[in-house]
Structure formats: C-alpha cells, structure tokens
Amino acid sequence: MATIGDICVSASINLLSALAFLFAFGILRLQPFNDRVYFPKWYLKGIRGSPTGSNRVKKFVNLDFGTYIRFLNWMPAALHMPEPELIDHAGLDSAVYIRIYLLGVKIFAPITLLAFMVLVPVNWFGKTLQARGPKDLTFSSIDKISISNIPFGSDRFWVHIVMSYVFSSWTCYSLYKEYKVIAEMRLRFLAAERRRPDQFTVLVRNVPPDPDESVSEHIEHFFCVNHPDHYLMHQVVYNANKLACIAAEKKKLINWHVYYQNKYERNPSKRPTTRTGFLGFLGNKVDAIDHYTAIIDNLSKQEAEERESIINNPNAVIPAAFVSFKTRWAAAVCAQTQQTSNPTIWLTEWAPEPRDVFWENLAIPYFDLNMRRLLMAVALFFLTFFFMIPIALVQSLANIEAIEKVLPFLKPIIEKPSIKSVIQGFLPGLALKIFLIMLPKILMTMSKMEGITSLSGLDRRSASKYYLFVLVNVFLGSVITGTAFQQLGQFINQPSTEFTKTVGSTIPMKATFFITYIMIDGWAGIAAEILRLAPLITFHVKNTFLVKTEQDRQNAMDPGSLEFATSEPRIQLYFMLGHVYAPVTPFLLPFIVVFFAFAYMIFRHQIINVYNQQYESGGSFWPDIHGRVISGLIISQILLMGLLSTRGTDKSTLVLIAQPILTLWFHRYCKGRFESAFVKFPLEVG
C-alpha cells in the first residue's frame, strides 16, 4: 500500500521530469534550426519564414542571450490570445477542446477547496483505522484523511452525503453554463463563417439503381421532382483509386524535378545527371531535368486518359453524391428530412467539409452498414473483456507482497525503501500508460469498418469506444477487481460481520494508484507533449538526409493535431476520478486540478503555434463531452451509495437514490435545450 512518502517520491520524479521537459523546451524553441518544429502552424499560414542572413551561425543558434533570460515567456503568451482571435486563428473545434480543460478547473478547484475545508477534518478525526491497528487491515497515512477513517455507522457520514449533493449541484451548474456558452459560440460561428459550398450541400447515400437511367441522371431526376425550386446541381462520387495513385506519383516526381532544377540554377555550368535504375543508383546515366520532364509529361497523359476513362465508365460511379442547393435553408430541409417512404434508400445528411470526408465509406449498402456495426459491437465487447488480463497484471505491480510471492529471489532488492517507493509509487501508472498506447489504432480501425463517412465522426466514434474501454478496464478494473484481489486473504480469514467493513475501507485505498497515474500521465506526460521529442528528431533526420526542396521541408514539419479520439477520453477519466474520490478521498483532488490547469496552458500553446487540424466540425463533439461527464458523475453517485451501504448507514441509500435520478433529469433537460444546435442547422440562420 503506497504511503504519502511513496506519493512524494512519485511526485518528485514526475515533477522533476515535467520541469526538465519544460526547461528543455524553453531552450530548444529559441534555436532557429528548431523553428519549424515548435512553430509549424505559422509556417503553414505563410506568416513565418526560414531564418535569413549572411551569418550562418545565427541560422542555427540563437546568439541573443537576453532571450534566454525570458525563456519562460511562452507561458503568459499562451494565455494572452483572446478567444475570438483564437477561434479565427485555429477554428472552433480547437477553442472548444481547450475549454474542456478550463471546465475541469472550474468544477474541481471549488470542490477541492470545499472538500479540504469540510471533509478532510471530518475524516481525520474519525480515527477508525488507528484504533483497529495494522494487523486488522492494511492502510496508509493517506487513508487517514479518507472516508475509510470514519467509524462504522457513524453520523459523520451525513456530512459526506450533503457534500456529495453540493459537489453534484456545482458540477451540473457548471455544465449547464458551459453548454449554453458553447451552443451560442457554435451558432455564431456558423452564421458568421464565410460561405462555403459544403454549407449548401447534402451528402446522399444508398442511391437505388434504375435500369433506365445512370446514377447521375437518376439523382438529377429525383431532386428535380422532389426539390424543384431549390435544387442546384450535384456531383456523383467516382471510384478513382488508380487516378489517385498516378497523381501521387506525379507529385513525387515533380518534387525531384524541382530539386534538379534548383541544383542547375545554383551551378549553370553543369547539367545535373541521374541514373534510370533503382533509386537513381543503377542504370544508364541521363540528364536529370530532361529525364524527369519526360516522365512527368507521360504521367500527365496517363492522368488525363484515366480521368476520361472514369467519367465514361458507368461502373466507376458509386451510389452516392453531393447535392447542392440554392440556399442553406433548402439544404437544411433536405438533410434533416426523410426523402422517401423507404428509410433505407436516399439517405441524406449534411455534407462534411472537403477535408472531413472519409471517402472509403461512402458506398457501403444499408444492410452491410448495420451488419458491420453489429460485428464491431461484439468485437468491442471481447476486446474490452480480454484486456482485463493485462490490467490485472498491472495491478499486481502495486502490491509488493504479490511480487515477493511470485519472485521470492527479488525480496532483498525490492524491500529497500528507495526501490519499494519507486515500485509502488511510479511503476503501476507507467505500466498502465504503456498498455494503453497500442489501443487507439485498434479502435480507429473498428470505427472505420462501421462505415462512418467523416473524419470528425470517426474521431467521435473512436472516442466513445475508448471511453468505454477506459471506464471498464482502467477505472472499474482497477477499483473493483484490483481491490478484491488485494484483500482476498483478509476476506477469507475474517468473519462475515467484518466483510462489509473491510470492503468499505479498502475501496478508497485505490486512490493512491490513480494519484500515481495522474502524475505520470497528467504531469510528466503533458509536459512531454510540448517538448515534441519524436517530431523534433524526425524533422532533423529528414532535413539532414531526405529534404531536397522547400516542399520536402514543409512535409517534414509534422505539426500534428489534437487527436480527439484518444485525448478526450483521457480527460473524461480525470473527470470521473475527481467525482468518485471527491467525497471519498479528497487528497486526490489537488492532483486533478493541477492536471487541468497545466494541460490548459500547454494545449493552448500547442493550438496557437503547432497543431494543424485536419477538419473543422464547429464544435459538434460537445454533446458527447457533456454526456460523458454526466455518466462519470452518475457512476460516482452510485459507487458512493454502494460504499455507504457497507458502512452501516442503511438510511443513506434512500437519501442518495434521488441524486442519480436528478442528474439524469438534468442531462435530459440539457439534451432537449441545447443538443439540437449541434446536430441540426436552424432554418432561421439559413
């Protein structure tokens, strides 16, 4: 069982790691040769350029020593940009995303203050654990300020019940205010945004075949009949995979042509040469510029022929199209209504913006779509269930006694205080973090197989899977399964009357495991995010060995994006942990607040200077955020009921049962009040 000393060791390791990452970032970002790694967004916008000048040293190293004194000035700069300017600079999705962290601070900072003022003194003076002694139950000094220290059947539990209602009420109030603000931001964003073709366009799928008409003619005829006054035009979707390959190859060869052209311009006295064989190392030596000019001309002819072939080939047309209307009002009516009496054909939805379209899934038939979703639901169940095995192994790392039993020869080593503190305070959270690295790609592949037609939809769907996985394996697997295995021997040897007392005392003790995880993932992990070590190394390797042209240097920057599918469920785990442990073990709450505040500053900086989002959905993911925070809140309320029912407060169940019911009612109210702004387009705005 980790003690406050173990937590301090872990905190020291993670705090020093975070400070080291921040210090390294503060120095590295000042060097001109790292400029494209730490400020790629400004390069992509054309606002920033490569360092120029006659001094070659200044192109690589910053010789202005005054800037090193102010190397931490990026922190206030990250918070300085006003939100309207941030939306214009990075988009509404990015602005709404970092508001999730701000919401965490708004919710848990007051809850932390109140919990330490009220609950910590109540728990501390309970003195139950000290009275029972170490022979009866394993506990640490952290548990002395948790609910475990309250005597069985004590009236002090009513303080926890009242505070649970206070915490839930404050959370719901904060959620309501945030939902209202973001809904208004979204409507203003849609109304004020520069008009784009996709705002007037509907994606139509499952176009039924017609023996007398082509797909294009059938679509035009259908919409001319059913939307005669508003239909403008349509564009059918083609299967153009071969054309895409030709275009990609042509783009690569043009880059080589530019490279040799630049080389010739630097030394006009000598024409550059290349070889026609493998990677330019084998074969006959030829003039490089003429060689690539001839190949590009040939590919251009192939490209034109392939394009003409696709247009004239009826089999290349898939049963989907983008249909445009004269007004946004007409597009909204079409996207939000059923087109025929058969709900499986002529399926309409708002067209994603061009960057957001996932082309591979546009032609999936209705029946196949439903079968895929059924199979992926079954696969997700088995993936979630069987992943409990490695999670259980992770939990064993937190138990020194279990390691000594399995590997007795390690006992002299792991019993040393310093080694023991590292094992209990650092390794469990690190091992869990490593296990979760492989998961996102699996879940994204499953989401793609479900047939979702937009990248933003794929991110939201993968995020929901990841959240379910984190809930079952990381949270429930650690709190319930981990606790049961940890105290199994005591359960067997205790009389039945003592069983429920032990359960009530041991569930809060898993807070120490989550504290270590928060510090590793939420402190050191977030600090490592801003250092961008992998993109830094990758850029310099590419820049040294692979970059030939300015386009290559642009491609080597790799600004990345927010990766909503994995980062948002991770945030939701912190919301859940905060709500679960607020009335149980308030000692965990400051670690949560530090995470939210620190992450808000880090990601604000990254959004301003680094990330280049693939798409813009106008903050359409916010209802998912709200729903998952609510689900975590309800889980915490149910767990508190279960915990108190084992602590001799039978009447508390009757009082607490109203809490999840009221929370569900609040969720339904917010859903009816605000959610339509995120799934439908208001006609008055059109």
Side-chain angles (χ1 to χ4, degrees):
M1 184 63 64
T3 64
I4 288 184
D6 299 332
I7 296 298
C8 289
V9 171
S10 179
S12 300
I13 294 172
N14 287 286
L15 190 58
L16 289 174
S17 300
L19 291 175
F21 288 144
L22 293 178
F23 179 79
F25 165 72
I27 300 301
L28 290 173
R29 65 183 285 271
L30 297 176
Q31 311 310 316
F33 71 102
N34 291 328
D35 211 45
R36 287 179 178 268
V37 178
Y38 294 114
F39 301 96
K41 191 160 194 169
W42 300 101
Y43 280 89
L44 294 174
K45 285 178 170 284
I47 298 175
R48 208 176 182 108
S50 298
T52 57
S54 57
N55 192 326
R56 293 183 60 84
V57 176
K58 288 185 177 181
K59 291 182 179 181
F60 295 94
V61 181
N62 185 356
L63 299 179
D64 183 2
F65 295 102
T67 57
Y68 291 95
I69 300 175
R70 304 184 300 273
F71 75 100
L72 292 178
N73 64 354
W74 64 268
M75 293 184 179
L79 304 174
H80 180 69
M81 182 179 285
E83 191 168 66
E85 186 179 340
L86 179 66
I87 294 173
D88 184 61
H89 173 68
L92 186 62
D93 278 345
S94 298
V96 170
Y97 175 83
I98 59 174
R99 286 189 70 100
I100 306 174
Y101 294 105
L102 189 60
L103 176 65
V105 176
K106 290 178 180 177
I107 289 176
F108 289 110
I111 287 178
T112 301
L113 183 62
L114 197 57
F116 271 77
M117 290 175 59
V118 179
L119 292 181
V120 168
V122 171
N123 294 337
W124 176 260
F125 290 106
K127 298 187 181 301
T128 297
L129 296 177
Q130 297 94 315
R132 296 180 66 181
K135 293 182 180 179
D136 298 317
L137 187 68
T138 303
F139 66 91
S140 71
S141 48
I142 295 175
D143 300 307
K144 295 178 183 179
I145 56 175
S146 75
I147 201 172
S148 303
N149 207 26
I150 304 297
F152 189 81
S154 172
D155 289 338
R156 291 172 180 259
F157 286 117
W158 288 101
V159 178
H160 298 80
I161 294 171
V162 171
M163 294 308 297
S164 176
Y165 270 95
V166 172
F167 296 159
S168 297
S169 299
W170 173 249
T171 299
C172 291
Y173 172 77
S174 302
L175 280 172
Y176 177 84
K177 297 287 288 184
E178 196 69 16
Y179 212 150
K180 183 178 180 181
V181 168
I182 292 176
E184 292 173 351
M185 288 171 59
R186 173 176 165 82
L187 291 176
R188 285 198 304 269
F189 179 80
L190 293 176
E193 193 179 25
R194 183 174 57 85
R195 294 188 168 222
R196 303 192 316 263
D198 57 274
Q199 296 174 340
F200 298 80
T201 304
V202 170
L203 171 60
V204 182
R205 293 186 296 153
N206 281 30
V207 176
D210 189 295
D212 301 322
E213 294 179 315
S214 66
V215 173
S216 181
E217 292 170 341
H218 192 29
I219 292 171
E220 183 175 15
H221 179 246
F222 178 86
F223 282 96
C224 284
V225 170
N226 293 281
H227 300 269
D229 298 327
H230 305 288
Y231 168 75
L232 180 63
M233 60 176 291
H234 73 277
Q235 175 61 59
V236 294
V237 180
Y238 295 93
N239 182 355
N241 292 333
K242 184 177 178 181
L243 179 62
C245 293
I246 295 174
E249 180 67 18
K250 179 182 174 182
K251 182 179 179 181
K252 183 173 67 174
L253 295 176
I254 288 175
N255 197 47
W256 277 104
H257 183 270
V258 171
Y259 165 70
Y260 284 114
Q261 188 68 41
N262 293 340
K263 189 175 181 179
Y264 176 65
E265 289 175 357
R266 288 193 296 268
N267 185 14
S269 62
K270 183 180 180 181
R271 296 276 294 185
T273 61
T274 187
R275 294 186 181 273
T276 58
F278 179 73
L279 296 177
F281 295 109
L282 303 176
N284 299 325
K285 183 181 288 189
V286 295
D287 184 287
I289 296 176
D290 294 341
H291 174 68
Y292 282 105
T293 300
I295 297 178
I296 291 169
D297 290 342
N298 183 47
L299 284 176
S300 297
K301 294 178 182 178
Q302 292 182 33
E303 188 177 32
E305 291 172 359
E306 180 64 21
R307 183 180 290 107
E308 188 69 24
S309 174
I310 291 172
I311 293 174
N312 296 325
N313 182 9
N315 295 325
V317 181
I318 67 175
F322 293 94
V323 179
S324 298
F325 295 84
K326 297 176 182 177
T327 63
R328 285 197 285 187
W329 182 92
V333 171
C334 181
Q336 295 164 194
T337 55
Q338 183 174 311
Q339 301 303 305
T340 68
S341 58
N342 184 350
T344 66
I345 59 175
W346 296 105
L347 304 179
T348 57
E349 60 185 89
W350 274 106
E353 64 164 340
R355 297 177 299 169
D356 195 17
V357 179
F358 188 68
W359 299 95
E360 287 86 345
N361 285 346
L362 296 184
I364 301 175
Y366 183 83
F367 178 79
D368 291 0
L369 202 63
N370 286 272
M371 284 301 298
R372 286 173 176 230
R373 290 175 180 173
L374 174 62
L375 292 174
M376 289 305 102
V378 175
L380 180 63
F381 170 79
F382 282 104
L383 177 66
T384 304
F385 179 79
F386 284 111
F387 215 88
M388 288 292 289
I389 298 172
I391 292 294
L393 293 176
V394 168
Q395 293 308 305
S396 68
L397 287 172
N399 193 335
I400 293 290
E401 292 77 12
I403 296 176
E404 291 176 349
K405 188 174 181 180
V406 177
L407 304 171
F409 61 89
L410 292 178
K411 185 175 181 179
I413 299 175
I414 62 179
E415 281 295 336
K416 293 181 180 180
S418 58
I419 302 297
K420 187 175 182 180
S421 296
V422 171
I423 290 175
Q424 291 188 321
F426 184 73
L427 286 185
L430 178 62
L432 181 58
K433 177 73 174 174
I434 293 172
F435 269 120
L436 294 178
I437 288 176
M438 66 184 78
L439 186 65
K441 289 186 178 179
I442 299 174
L443 298 180
M444 178 59 76
T445 301
M446 294 171 65
S447 298
K448 289 178 179 178
M449 294 182 68
E450 289 184 351
I452 296 170
T453 58
S454 65
L455 297 176
S456 57
L458 285 172
D459 275 347
R460 293 198 299 272
R461 186 64 177 167
S462 296
S464 66
K465 290 185 176 69
Y466 197 90
Y467 173 73
L468 178 63
F469 186 91
V470 168
L471 170 63
V472 173
N473 284 291
V474 179
F475 180 73
L476 296 180
S478 297
V479 173
I480 299 173
T481 308
T483 298
F485 280 109
Q486 193 176 51
Q487 303 290 340
L488 183 60
Q490 295 161 346
F491 291 164
I492 295 173
N493 298 321
Q494 285 178 344
S496 58
T497 54
E498 293 293 312
F499 179 82
T500 55
K501 297 180 184 179
T502 305
V503 172
S505 297
T506 54
I507 289 178
M509 293 179 187
K510 286 310 281 189
T512 56
F513 168 77
F514 286 116
I515 289 172
T516 63
Y517 179 75
I518 291 168
M519 288 188 289
I520 292 171
D521 181 67
W523 294 11
I526 295 297
E529 172 70 27
I530 200 171
L531 183 59
R532 307 194 75 227
L533 190 58
L536 177 68
I537 295 172
T538 303
F539 172 78
H540 285 302
V541 170
K542 289 182 177 179
N543 195 41
T544 303
F545 299 105
L546 301 178
V547 168
K548 306 179 296 296
T549 65
E550 190 64 26
Q551 182 62 45
D552 286 339
R553 188 170 286 107
Q554 193 94 330
N555 295 336
M557 287 195 303
D558 185 25
S561 60
L562 286 171
E563 297 184 355
F564 178 84
T566 55
S567 57
E568 189 272 335
R570 181 181 65 179
I571 304 172
Q572 295 304 325
L573 174 63
Y574 292 113
F575 274 103
M576 184 184 300
L577 291 176
H579 285 128
V580 167
Y581 283 102
V584 176
T585 308
F587 185 76
L588 179 140
L589 290 174
F591 298 89
I592 295 281
V593 174
V594 170
F595 160 74
F596 279 117
F598 186 44
Y600 174 74
M601 180 180 65
I602 294 293
F603 281 103
R604 212 174 197 275
H605 173 274
Q606 298 296 83
I607 284 170
I608 292 172
N609 298 299
V610 180
Y611 295 145
N612 184 44
Q613 287 303 101
Q614 289 181 282
Y615 57 81
E616 175 60 57
S617 68
S620 59
F621 54 81
W622 186 259
D624 298 332
I625 306 293
H626 177 89
R628 285 196 270 272
V629 175
I630 288 291
S631 68
L633 182 60
I634 292 174
I635 288 170
S636 71
Q637 295 163 352
I638 294 173
L639 289 179
L640 182 63
M641 277 195 294
L643 174 60
L644 292 181
S645 67
T646 67
R647 302 290 291 165
T649 56
D650 298 333
K651 294 181 180 179
S652 66
T653 304
L654 297 175
V655 178
L656 288 171
I657 192 67
Q659 199 169 203
I661 295 174
L662 291 173
T663 305
L664 277 173
W665 174 86
F666 167 78
H667 175 59
R668 294 295 300 174
Y669 174 78
C670 288
K671 187 179 178 71
R673 173 68 177 82
F674 300 116
E675 189 177 16
S676 61
F678 295 85
V679 295
K680 297 177 181 178
F681 191 88
L683 296 182
E684 67 176 359
V685 179

